[in-house]
Amino acid sequence: MRDNQHQPYTHLRAAIDDGITCLDVSFYTPDLAVSVFCIDQERACLDISSADGQVSISSTGGGPVTRADIALARELAHAAARYLSECERLYAKRHLPPAAWWGRWNWYFRRPLISLDTTSREGSSLMFKKLPGDETARLVSTTPDTAVVFRPAVVQTPAILTIAIAVWRMLTGVVGLVWRHPIALAITVGLGVIWTRYGYLHVLALAGLAVAAGVSWRLVDRPSFLRLVGWPLLGWWRLVSVYRRHWQPVMIVSGLGRYLRGRDCLPRLLAVTCTPWADLVTVKMLSGQAVTDWTDRTEHLAHGFGATSCRISVQRSGRLLLTFPRSDPLAVPLSAVPVPETAAAGPVQVGMQENGHPWLLKLHGTHVLVAGATGAGKGSVIWSAIRGLLPAMRAGLVQVWALDPKLMELSYGRAIFGDRYAADPDACADLLDAAVKVMQERAGRFAGVQRNHTPTFEDPFVLVVVDEVAFLTAYQPDKHLRQRITAALATLTTQGRAVGVGVLAALQDPRKEVMNIRNLFPDKIALRLDESEQVDMVLGDGARDRGALADLISPRPEAGAGIGYVRLETSPDPVRVRAAYVSDADIRAMAAEFAPVGEAV
């Protein structure tokens, strides 16, 4: 019997209505046992029992399991889950304060869904985990013994809204197509109109005329044809066939893209421009990305898009320019640059840049450090620079003071330098002290009069060339002489360029303990180096990540001598260059023609 204390009990009711017997069993107690077992390997049975009664549910007619039995089993699982949900909700509402009840209910809705575990008759049980709300309606199971899976939620969208979104997307697509490709669209529409009104023969005739005109244009003026037609067409083809095709997998695999909330967030590919030697890809970074995120993945990008290397430069905030070389215009050694016809101390051509433009090396108003292993081509840079200054030396606007402690490189053209040549360490120190004296004397005269130096016959530009400077600053056994030379070089590199005294120094080992004043050189050139760490030592931090792969330059002279990377004071991005090779015959000819220019004035 029930009482006011809500004690457990079992209710049984039997009724006969029109000859049909109806039996109703209700368990108002938590003291129940629920078990699931299999009979004869083909019948599933569910028992719910208490001390007062038992209810058993089995497959239809006590036979094999049917689809109707599976449907009933699903309904039982759904009902049990809903029963659990309601019990927990009512219990929490009654026994917890409002704030705690809301927090518990909010947590409850975020728990895992239902899972079923069925075993054999011995120790079998049916286990339910907490299932929030109506999630049981999304349960799907193909067979009774499979794990429970879930259908995704389906949001019913009104048809009118779907149609409106589709129409809007179509209109924006058409407008964007007209805005981005007006010429191509006009040509296509025009050809379509001509085809419709006059037939396809007229279209073929126009196409033939266009092809003939393009071929004639290419034969008559190839540079303008390539600039206006050839390279834009190649850029479009590379955009479609290479970059847009592989953009998503390369970005995801390299870690530059992100998968958020069910969709890929990728950097935006803006444009692809082709030059005779490389593809220039303009990219818009994702919000929150840094340039270092890209420079750390240059190898991923190069191999992902089938290029030998990748160099990265910043166009503006949020935009990068990726350079993917298609060919190497510096693969063939360059012959010596012709001696200039005009006398000037300005930038001199010493070779060629990777983009095909002349490599102009600034000497007046700066200091240049050239670092490279043995056979990397440091002599090519030095002699090309001297070769470009010969007319100015003859005019008295430039003086080249040569320090050659190896007695192998600059001594070959010693006649050009006259008495401004030194090879012995003591003589080198004396020559450097003389350059410091000239610098200080000019500074005293220029003080309060002028801030910049203009080369004149009275005050020419003095270029101090030091081959293998490490022999004088690190490997010199005489400590006093070593300190004297280092102090003179430090004085020249810190105070000399404002008064027209520059330093062009070359060395093999760029370590700080070998050349502790390397940071006093604004412009640096890295030829072939032995270690990847040396690239950043010469060109500054992050230079190798930006594409200055000086440690990967070929050691074969015909393939790598003279090739290097230049980092100027005004730009952090390295530029790949190759210095022209000045042969022994060229140096002899220079010495024979310009020997008198080195004599003291």
Side-chain angles (χ1 to χ4, degrees):
M1 296 294 294
R2 291 176 54 182
D3 56 21
N4 293 333
Q5 298 301 320
H6 301 289
Q7 297 296 323
Y9 69 95
T10 301
H11 175 76
L12 175 64
R13 182 176 66 88
I16 300 176
D17 186 9
D18 295 333
I20 298 176
T21 301
C22 179
L23 182 63
D24 181 12
V25 180
S26 300
F27 297 104
Y28 296 96
T29 175
D31 300 325
L32 292 177
V34 181
S35 62
V36 177
F37 53 90
C38 186
I39 303 175
D40 299 331
Q41 300 299 321
E42 62 179 10
R43 294 174 55 194
C45 184
L46 170 66
D47 278 359
I48 304 176
S49 61
S50 69
D52 301 324
Q54 176 179 348
V55 175
S56 297
I57 302 174
S58 182
S59 55
T60 305
V65 176
T66 63
R67 291 184 178 274
D69 297 323
I70 295 176
L72 176 62
R74 287 199 184 104
E75 293 181 5
L76 289 174
H78 297 169
R82 291 192 182 97
Y83 177 68
L84 173 63
S85 172
E86 288 299 316
C87 287
E88 288 198 341
R89 181 181 65 83
L90 295 173
Y91 179 85
K93 185 176 181 180
R94 180 173 181 177
H95 293 85
L96 296 177
W101 176 81
W102 171 249
R104 180 182 178 87
W105 190 242
N106 192 34
W107 163 84
Y108 165 78
F109 270 101
R110 288 170 169 79
R111 290 177 298 172
L113 302 182
I114 190 172
S115 67
L116 302 178
D117 182 19
T118 59
T119 60
S120 61
R121 174 182 290 187
E122 292 76 18
S124 63
S125 62
L126 176 63
M127 299 172 59
F128 287 98
K129 290 184 179 179
K130 298 175 178 59
L131 186 70
D134 295 332
E135 288 289 344
T136 54
R138 294 163 54 189
L139 289 172
V140 178
S141 180
T142 55
T143 58
D145 58 344
T146 58
V148 177
V149 296
F150 302 93
R151 289 193 299 263
V154 178
V155 179
Q156 300 295 333
T157 305
I160 185 63
L161 182 59
T162 303
I163 295 173
I165 294 174
V167 171
W168 172 256
R169 289 179 177 176
M170 182 180 66
L171 291 177
T172 55
V174 171
V175 173
L177 180 65
V178 175
W179 177 263
R180 291 192 302 268
H181 310 287
I183 298 177
L185 188 62
I187 293 175
T188 303
V189 173
L191 292 177
V193 172
I194 294 174
W195 188 319
T196 303
R197 296 194 61 181
Y198 304 104
Y200 71 93
L201 293 178
H202 291 77
V203 176
L204 293 178
L206 290 176
L209 289 175
V211 172
V215 172
S216 301
W217 185 5
R218 185 180 184 277
L219 294 176
V220 174
D221 190 359
R222 182 177 180 180
S224 64
F225 174 82
L226 292 176
R227 185 178 67 257
L228 298 176
V229 179
W231 301 132
L233 284 178
L234 181 60
W236 173 84
W237 173 250
R238 297 282 294 177
L239 170 66
V240 174
S241 63
V242 177
Y243 298 102
R244 185 172 291 169
R245 177 183 177 186
H246 301 291
W247 190 254
Q248 190 266 354
V250 171
M251 292 296 107
I252 294 297
V253 172
S254 64
L256 293 172
R258 297 292 185 271
Y259 185 79
L260 299 175
R261 298 181 181 179
R263 69 185 185 94
D264 291 333
C265 296
L266 305 177
R268 187 178 176 186
L269 178 61
L270 298 179
V272 176
T273 304
C274 285
T275 65
W277 66 278
D279 295 338
L280 307 181
V281 181
T282 305
V283 176
K284 183 178 181 181
M285 296 189 296
L286 291 175
S287 298
Q289 281 188 333
V291 179
T292 54
D293 296 332
W294 290 75
T295 56
D296 291 342
R297 295 170 174 83
T298 53
E299 294 185 5
H300 303 76
L301 297 171
H303 293 292
F305 295 115
T308 56
S309 64
C310 173
R311 289 191 286 281
I312 297 176
S313 59
V314 180
Q315 275 194 332
R316 62 179 186 180
S317 177
R319 288 197 179 186
L320 300 178
L321 182 66
L322 313 183
T323 302
F324 296 99
R326 296 193 315 273
S327 61
D328 187 4
L330 304 180
V332 180
L334 305 176
S335 58
V337 178
V339 177
E341 297 180 357
T342 59
V348 295
Q349 182 179 353
V350 296
M352 186 173 68
Q353 301 182 41
E354 192 174 31
N355 57 11
H357 297 166
W359 174 21
L360 301 178
L361 180 62
K362 180 182 178 182
L363 297 171
H364 180 245
T366 187
H367 306 293
V368 181
L369 178 65
V370 183
T374 301
K378 298 186 294 295
S380 297
V381 177
I382 293 175
W383 279 113
S384 295
I386 296 174
R387 187 177 178 87
L389 293 175
L390 286 177
M393 294 172 64
R394 170 176 285 177
L397 301 178
V398 174
Q399 293 178 2
V400 176
W401 297 20
L403 282 71
D404 188 21
K406 288 197 310 181
L407 288 171
M408 293 300 297
E409 189 66 49
L410 300 178
S411 62
Y412 209 73
R414 179 173 180 175
I416 299 176
F417 312 114
D419 58 354
R420 302 186 186 96
Y421 172 88
D424 181 78
D426 290 320
C428 290
D430 293 338
L431 196 60
L432 287 173
D433 289 339
V436 172
K437 185 177 180 180
V438 171
M439 179 201 72
Q440 294 174 343
E441 187 273 331
R442 287 187 184 178
R445 288 190 291 110
F446 290 175
V449 179
Q450 64 184 64
R451 297 176 58 188
N452 297 319
H453 173 261
T454 301
T456 61
F457 187 81
E458 292 76 17
D459 293 314
F461 167 54
V462 176
L463 177 64
V464 180
V465 179
V466 187
D467 183 40
E468 197 49 58
V469 66
F471 178 79
L472 300 175
T473 60
Y475 308 141
Q476 173 57 237
D478 189 337
K479 181 179 179 181
H480 174 72
L481 192 61
R482 184 172 65 248
Q483 292 176 347
R484 178 184 167 194
I485 293 174
T486 302
L489 285 173
T491 303
L492 291 176
T493 51
T494 54
Q495 306 175 25
R497 64 175 182 171
V499 295
V501 179
V503 178
L504 172 61
L507 78 163
Q508 296 183 25
D509 190 349
R511 290 177 299 169
K512 199 75 172 180
E513 55 269 24
V514 175
M515 184 64 172
N516 58 3
I517 60 171
R518 68 180 186 218
N519 290 336
L520 299 180
F521 291 82
D523 298 337
K524 305 177 182 67
I525 303 172
L527 302 177
R528 178 174 57 85
L529 297 172
D530 295 327
E531 301 173 2
S532 59
E533 293 81 4
Q534 293 179 345
V535 179
D536 288 349
M537 292 180 187
V538 178
L539 301 180
D541 291 339
R544 193 181 189 279
D545 292 336
R546 284 186 167 89
L549 306 179
D551 57 305
L552 300 182
I553 296 175
S554 174
R556 294 185 297 112
E558 64 276 8
I563 294 180
Y565 295 86
V566 180
R567 186 170 184 177
L568 303 178
E569 180 185 17
T570 57
S571 174
D573 298 321
V575 179
R576 189 166 178 262
V577 296
R578 184 162 194 170
Y581 174 64
V582 183
S583 64
D584 295 349
D586 294 327
I587 298 176
R588 290 194 196 98
M590 292 164 53
E593 183 177 358
F594 296 93
V597 303
E599 298 178 355
V601 179

